[in-house]
Amino acid sequence: MSDNILKLILAKDPDEKEYHQAVKEFLETVKPVLERNPEYRQLGVLERVTEPERTITFRVPWMDDERQVRVNRGFRIEMNSAIGPFKGGLRFHPSVNNSILKFLAFEQVFKNALTTLPMGGAQGGSDFEPKGKSEDEVMRFCQSFMTELSRHIGQDTDIPDGGLGVGAREIGYLFGMYKKQRNEFTGVLTGKGLQWGGSYIRPQATGYGVGYFAAEMMAARNDSLAGKTCLISGSGNVAQHAAEKIIELGGNVLTFSDSSGYIYDPEGIDKAKLAFVKRLKNIKRGRIQEYIDKYSDTTYTESDSSLDYNPLWTHRADCAFPCAMENEIRENDAYNLINNGIKMVCEGADMPSSPEAIKIFMDKPILFAPGKAANAGGVAVSGLEMAQNRMLLNWSAEEVDQRLRTIMKSIHRTCLDVAEEYGEPGNYLAGANIAGFVRVVNAMLDQGLV
Ligand code: NDP
């Protein structure tokens, strides 16, 4: 059944390689569910979950500081609303296209299901590059983007969130425009500022959740993060807060990167050094290379796209936390990690390991956590932000953090239990995919053919 679906998807949209990759990985792991439920074929379950409920594409015209008109493309993929209104991030990056957003939306459906909160799955964004743009340009772009997007979203229909290239600044400009156009102050976006409807811990939630999930995986093997050396890629929202939690739990973080290169600090990145990185990236909007000007006993290695491996993953370490981009760990990187003693790979980004890399990890006795489980803390706290908005109140940081920790523990337990139930003990990838799939499919079937 699953091979036919892949053929169908390839024939319909032959160029969507990231989407094919996500669906293929998914189908391989949910085979046991399909075998137990042969009626799914006649019910068209796979055809339905792999086809977005709605795809919106639009023009985003804006004017740069030289008064030159620029045009970008905006998207919103509303993938599945079986268990709640569409919910998922926005990404602003030059690589954004239908395939990347479809893979993100597909992953989001099952990630959201794992949180057990009532949220369907979606993703959106634009091929706009915020890096190097002035504040005014970013604001004008966000306003133009929201002018169209506002027709399609709402607190009961589709609630976008931040994501790669879309942080607190962008959410502010997007929210301001939505409010002006619709004349309503509602929880239509998450990741809002604390003074205007945001939730404590939302900025930290994805990275903290990654740390909690990693700690749970270690605990399941009677181990902990204390004293473990950790390689982290990226230096954005997820990377920074994963590092913060890992440091708090006693881990020793050695690396950060951006698209230009990476730094390696053999002494470890402590709280003070992390505070420097946060200021550098979030306020100054600088490059990670500047780290070595401040901390001289460190090295900086420039990115080199001609290499078929990333030198960041060649350092000896116990744990790897890819927190930048999809497919950033390729086959050679996986071999390098394994050969350098890695015990755990915990994905902070969405689909950062290529299929070849995943296969290598699965063949070894290491812990491997897929992003859709390990990074679900962000959308979980976004769900909590929606709940607080509905009640017109704010929970304390401690309360939200406690709820986040409980949700991550429960996702971890679900992955293990479901993997065991379907004959794949210890396989977090299978556990996450099957648990999310079962919840979404059951809801779809309950609601009839819609
Ligand atoms: P940010 O935009 O805050 O940070 C992204 C980081 O990745 C930046 O340091 C960026 O560097 C770096 N990067 C981008 N491209 C490359 C590249 N080709 N090579 C190396 N580094 C690169 O994004 P987030 O931290 O929010 O998102 C990171 C990942 O986590 C994404 O996969 C996203 O989908 C996923 N995610 C995010 C969630 C969230 O709540 N924010 C929730 C769940 C998943 P540069 O500054 O040079 O661009």
Side-chain angles (χ1 to χ4, degrees):
M1 181 175 354
S2 49
D3 291 347
N4 291 344
I5 283 296
L6 265 182
K7 278 189 200 141
L8 188 75
I9 291 171
L10 277 161
K12 264 204 260 187
D13 299 302
D15 299 328
E16 296 186 346
K17 62 180 192 323
E18 292 84 3
Y19 186 54
H20 303 156
Q21 181 184 332
V23 173
K24 187 163 186 285
E25 173 221 284
F26 186 80
L27 293 177
E28 277 163 9
T29 51
V30 300
K31 270 186 184 147
V33 186
L34 304 174
E35 279 157 18
R36 280 191 200 182
N37 298 278
E39 72 280 12
Y40 281 6
R41 179 189 289 273
Q42 197 219 338
L43 293 168
V45 163
L46 293 182
E47 288 83 345
R48 287 152 76 183
V49 291
T50 52
E51 183 68 26
E53 286 186 33
R54 189 174 300 112
T55 299
I56 301 148
T57 311
F58 50 98
R59 179 173 67 193
V60 189
W62 57 283
M63 194 176 280
D64 70 16
D65 289 344
E66 276 70 52
R67 300 191 51 76
Q68 173 67 48
V69 171
R70 309 263 206 118
V71 178
N72 285 95
R73 186 170 284 174
F75 303 85
R76 187 73 179 161
I77 313 277
E78 295 183 332
M79 198 75 196
N80 193 301
S81 63
I83 58 173
F86 300 109
K87 173 89 199 120
L90 295 172
R91 174 179 287 199
F92 292 167
H93 192 271
S95 64
V96 161
N97 58 30
N98 219 43
S99 171
I100 288 185
L101 293 179
K102 256 168 94 175
F103 113 67
L104 288 167
F106 185 71
E107 296 266 302
Q108 193 82 46
V109 171
F110 307 106
K111 182 191 302 188
N112 293 1
L114 281 173
T115 67
T116 71
L117 299 172
M119 300 182 290
Q123 274 279 335
S126 172
D127 56 0
F128 173 76
E129 167 67 284
K131 216 164 41 213
K133 301 289 188 305
S134 71
E135 286 289 317
D136 286 353
E137 287 175 329
V138 170
M139 181 174 75
R140 286 196 292 271
F141 173 81
C142 288
Q143 291 177 337
S144 178
F145 182 84
M146 183 51 89
T147 304
E148 176 60 32
L149 187 69
S150 63
R151 301 167 197 267
H152 311 286
I153 60 175
Q155 64 169 348
D156 296 316
T157 49
D158 185 351
I159 307 98
D161 196 1
L164 193 129
V166 181
R169 171 183 66 173
E170 288 78 14
I171 291 289
Y173 296 146
L174 292 165
F175 184 76
M177 197 59 185
Y178 180 89
K179 184 164 63 79
K180 182 180 168 83
Q181 282 197 303
R182 301 286 286 261
N183 194 24
E184 56 179 45
F185 194 116
T186 54
V188 68
L189 289 164
T190 54
K192 300 186 291 298
L194 263 184
Q195 305 306 319
W196 41 278
S199 172
Y200 280 106
I201 305 291
R202 175 60 192 93
Q204 297 87 348
T206 307
Y208 278 16
V210 169
Y212 290 141
F213 198 93
E216 285 300 311
M217 286 202 293
M218 284 292 188
R221 287 203 175 171
N222 296 318
D223 203 346
S224 80
L225 283 171
K228 298 288 182 305
T229 44
C230 302
L231 306 175
I232 297 188
S233 64
S235 50
N237 176 279
V238 180
Q240 292 170 19
H241 295 107
E244 189 162 296
K245 190 50 70 182
I246 291 164
I247 295 167
E248 198 184 301
L249 295 172
N252 190 17
V253 175
L254 304 176
T255 58
F256 272 129
S257 69
D258 59 24
S259 52
S260 312
Y262 80 94
I263 59 103
Y264 174 71
D265 185 338
E267 293 297 310
I269 297 163
D270 59 16
K271 278 187 185 169
K273 292 173 178 174
L274 178 61
F276 170 81
V277 171
K278 284 188 175 180
R279 276 195 307 278
L280 173 68
K281 295 307 273 186
N282 307 346
I283 297 168
K284 200 174 157 214
R285 297 191 188 273
R287 308 306 295 157
I288 199 66
Q289 179 172 12
E290 294 168 53
Y291 185 93
I292 62 165
D293 301 335
K294 171 94 175 155
Y295 302 106
S296 53
D297 288 342
T298 60
T299 56
Y300 173 72
T301 307
E302 221 164 86
S303 299
D304 179 354
S305 57
S306 69
L307 296 177
D308 60 2
Y309 68 98
N310 180 350
L312 188 154
W313 305 120
T314 60
H315 295 278
R316 190 154 192 90
D318 299 309
C319 310
F321 293 88
C323 295
M325 280 293 258
E326 57 274 6
N327 290 323
E328 55 170 311
I329 298 189
R330 292 167 290 170
E331 188 172 14
N332 287 342
D333 300 314
Y335 281 127
N336 287 335
L337 286 166
I338 296 286
N339 292 337
N340 280 309
I342 214 78
K343 296 180 179 64
M344 176 175 77
V345 177
C346 186
E347 295 187 338
D350 289 311
M351 208 169 74
S353 309
S354 71
E356 297 78 22
I358 292 179
K359 188 167 176 343
I360 293 162
F361 295 145
M362 302 305 268
D363 285 346
K364 301 282 173 197
I366 67 157
L367 294 163
F368 173 74
K372 69 167 74 65
N375 74 24
V379 75
V381 172
S382 285
L384 301 181
E385 181 173 329
M386 287 158 63
Q388 293 168 79
N389 290 164
R390 292 284 182 173
M391 294 185 290
L392 295 175
L393 53 78
N394 264 82
W395 293 327
S396 68
E398 292 71 28
E399 179 160 5
V400 178
D401 195 26
Q402 186 51 48
R403 285 176 191 264
L404 168 64
R405 198 176 322 193
T406 305
I407 291 171
M408 296 313 296
K409 261 177 178 275
S410 143
I411 295 175
H412 175 268
R413 190 72 262 154
T414 300
C415 289
L416 281 186
D417 289 349
V418 171
E420 177 94 34
E421 184 190 336
Y422 282 85
E424 294 279 346
N427 183 338
Y428 288 91
L429 181 62
N433 284 343
I434 293 173
F437 182 60
V438 168
R439 180 163 186 230
V440 170
V441 168
N442 285 343
M444 286 173 73
L445 297 181
D446 285 349
Q447 292 167 31
L449 190 52
V450 289

